Amino acid sequence: MSIVKIENVRVLDPINKTDRVQTVYLKDGKLVESSNDVVESIDGQGKWLMPTMVDLCACLREPGQQQHGTLKSEGKAARENGILHVFTPPDSQPIVQDNGALIHGLVEKAMLDGGIHLQVIGAQTQGLNGKQPANMAGLKKGGCTAVSNAYATFENDDVVLRTLEYAAGLDMTVVFYPEEHQIAKDGCVHEGFVASRQGLPMIPALAETIAIAKYLLMIEATGVKAHFGLLSSGASVDLIKIAKQKGLPVTADVAMHQLHLTDQLIDGFNSLAHVRPPLRAEQDKELLRKGVKEGIIDAICTHHEPLSGSAKLAPFAETLPGISAFDTYVSFGVQLVREGLFEPLEWVEKVTSAPAKVANMTERWMKESGWALVDPDMEWTVSKDSIYSNGKNTPLINQKMLGKVVATFIA
């Protein structure tokens, strides 16, 4: 393969804690020593070179929902935006993530069609029915390292305990997307002034915090490794902090859009801002940012959920929740740097080595990762034409943003 020379680029390497401007050589997505076989030279002045990213939560819509996206379309969108490893929850339609053999085929198809390393989170219960534990031993044999019941309900807490004990015995991680369904009910937006004024059914932050508190007690009793994904409430940060201080084996992530967007966006029944968990208040956003900065929240994910145009055309409460997030992920990260929350290397760590560590795949990620060249000053407009994903469902349509991956170097 050809060797690419990038001159005067700012290398942001979280493994070696490197943040310096230098000239680098890349071959098959790997850094190599200087070479006389260079076939392409790139001026890296003002640009950042960072490892390809690890996304702990993204819905790729295949199998079963190809009208919204495919492994080919969403794999390309991830890769073009510098994301090479993608974790997907077990709530496809139909649900195949309770069968280890089918999962192996899905992983192969993601690489063949989309060119990404797909990591499938297995189903915690059979068919996500919340009644009987899934065959976790078979899922582990099929390549799963974690299980989850996604947003499906459990029949009772005894089922939860049995699945946690099962997972603990196999040294598998349980991923919780915490929501107490008896409180959330049929809600679709944050409990606040905007929702009240519009008469929309609400999901109070208490639905999230009560679920976290209950699951933490179960985690303590069973010793299972657990990850809390997609935190949306500022109060949740305190619960995770206390759990970590007690030495419980827990980690957490937050979707990038929760660090930037609030429930003000749902004003006017803007269904493009309909996401689950819902966008919450400004105070929640600030507390979530603080949680990431302090390391209580370990990583930032995309929570990419592509949807067809028709999925957002019904009355707000009847539209499907989800935001297409691959294409704005880096821009939002650059914005966090510009606003002073992170130094560039700190942000890079939150989307690369930190999620890899959460997933217990640091060595694999280092072996399989490539490099992404980011222009932090590149201005672009979010539009249906500029988004690689099949899903154009983002409340950021027509907005100007700064920061973009301009090249991805992988094997």
Side-chain angles (χ1 to χ4, degrees):
M1 296 290 291
S2 60
I3 293 179
V4 178
K5 177 183 180 182
I6 308 177
E7 298 180 285
N8 302 315
V9 69
R10 186 174 181 179
V11 178
L12 301 170
D13 180 355
I15 295 297
N16 298 306
K17 305 299 181 184
T18 300
D19 181 357
R20 62 171 179 262
V21 176
Q22 62 186 99
T23 295
V24 300
Y25 299 84
L26 290 168
K27 179 181 181 181
D28 297 339
K30 303 297 178 185
L31 292 178
V32 296
E33 298 297 326
S34 59
S35 172
N36 295 322
D37 301 324
V38 174
V39 299
E40 181 181 3
S41 292
I42 298 174
D43 182 6
Q45 185 72 40
K47 298 181 177 64
W48 302 344
L49 187 68
M50 60 182 286
T52 50
M53 291 168 275
V54 179
D55 186 4
L56 292 176
C57 185
C59 299
L60 306 184
R61 300 304 186 190
E62 189 176 348
Q65 295 181 300
Q66 285 91 329
Q67 74 273 26
H68 301 305
T70 64
L71 290 174
K72 184 175 182 179
S73 69
E74 305 316 297
K76 178 183 179 181
R79 201 174 62 249
E80 293 289 343
N81 287 288
I83 305 165
L84 195 57
H85 289 81
V86 177
F87 283 76
T88 188
D91 53 356
S92 63
Q93 297 177 7
I95 294 163
V96 299
Q97 293 89 346
D98 58 358
N99 186 316
L102 294 178
I103 285 173
H104 183 71
L106 201 60
V107 170
E108 286 189 341
K109 194 171 191 296
M111 177 53 69
L112 288 172
D113 288 1
I116 57 171
H117 297 283
L118 183 66
Q119 317 290 326
V120 178
I121 300 172
Q124 195 169 339
T125 59
Q126 295 177 22
L128 298 185
N129 63 13
K131 298 178 180 180
Q132 298 88 24
N135 179 8
M136 294 186 199
L139 292 173
K140 185 172 183 177
K141 187 176 180 180
C144 289
T145 60
V147 294
S148 174
N149 222 49
Y151 277 105
T153 59
F154 292 98
E155 186 175 57
N156 54 57
D157 288 338
D158 183 58
V159 175
V160 183
L161 277 171
R162 285 189 287 123
T163 59
L164 297 192
E165 290 167 349
Y166 190 2
L170 293 169
D171 194 30
M172 297 180 78
T173 300
V174 175
V175 180
F176 292 106
Y177 302 107
E179 183 182 88
E180 189 66 26
H181 293 275
Q182 289 181 335
I183 296 175
K185 295 182 180 178
D186 297 321
C188 61
V189 292
H190 172 63
E191 183 181 54
F193 174 76
V194 180
S196 296
R197 191 182 67 219
Q198 298 187 148
L200 291 170
M202 296 175 280
I203 303 176
L206 201 61
E208 180 171 296
T209 53
I210 285 179
I212 292 174
K214 179 177 70 174
Y215 292 142
L216 285 174
L217 291 172
M218 295 182 179
I219 292 163
E220 188 170 17
T222 60
V224 71
K225 290 188 293 186
H227 179 75
F228 288 91
L230 309 181
L231 297 187
S232 68
S233 165
S236 299
V237 180
D238 288 333
L239 292 173
I240 300 300
K241 181 178 181 178
I242 292 169
K244 288 188 171 186
Q245 288 173 341
K246 292 179 67 174
L248 297 186
V250 299
T251 52
D253 72 53
V254 62
M256 182 67 86
H257 53 252
Q258 296 286 3
L259 302 177
H260 293 273
L261 310 179
T262 70
D263 64 333
Q264 294 298 314
L265 274 177
I266 68 171
D267 199 13
F269 301 96
N270 179 10
S271 63
L272 290 175
H274 181 195
V275 66
R276 183 178 180 189
L279 299 176
R280 297 204 181 271
E282 181 71 22
Q283 183 181 16
D284 291 295
K285 184 190 82 171
E286 294 304 321
L287 289 172
L288 289 168
R289 285 186 169 206
K290 183 180 178 183
V292 178
K293 177 68 175 180
E294 294 179 352
I296 299 166
I297 298 175
D298 300 84
I300 306 171
C301 69
T302 67
H303 195 199
H304 175 69
E305 293 187 289
L307 291 168
S308 65
S310 60
K312 292 291 189 179
L313 293 180
F316 189 104
E318 298 173 23
T319 60
L320 293 179
I323 292 175
S324 183
F326 280 159
D327 291 276
T328 56
Y329 190 49
V330 167
S331 297
F332 268 155
V334 170
Q335 186 175 329
L336 292 177
V337 173
R338 290 183 177 276
E339 293 175 0
L341 184 66
F342 295 122
E343 291 297 321
L345 185 58
E346 287 182 295
W347 162 65
V348 168
E349 187 262 341
K350 296 296 182 183
V351 297
T352 58
S353 58
K357 183 179 179 181
V358 165
N360 196 29
M361 56 172 283
T362 298
E363 290 187 10
R364 179 181 173 184
W365 166 69
M366 290 172 63
K367 181 180 179 181
E368 296 175 342
S369 70
W371 292 85
L373 186 62
V374 176
D375 184 345
D377 298 317
M378 180 178 174
E379 184 178 273
W380 66 288
T381 300
V382 182
S383 70
K384 293 181 179 180
D385 292 331
S386 64
I387 292 176
Y388 286 104
S389 169
N390 262 14
K392 314 303 180 183
N393 51 301
T394 170
L396 302 170
I397 286 288
N398 296 326
Q399 289 194 27
K400 292 187 182 298
M401 303 192 78
L402 289 176
K404 193 76 171 166
V405 171
V406 293
T408 306
F409 305 95
I410 57 178

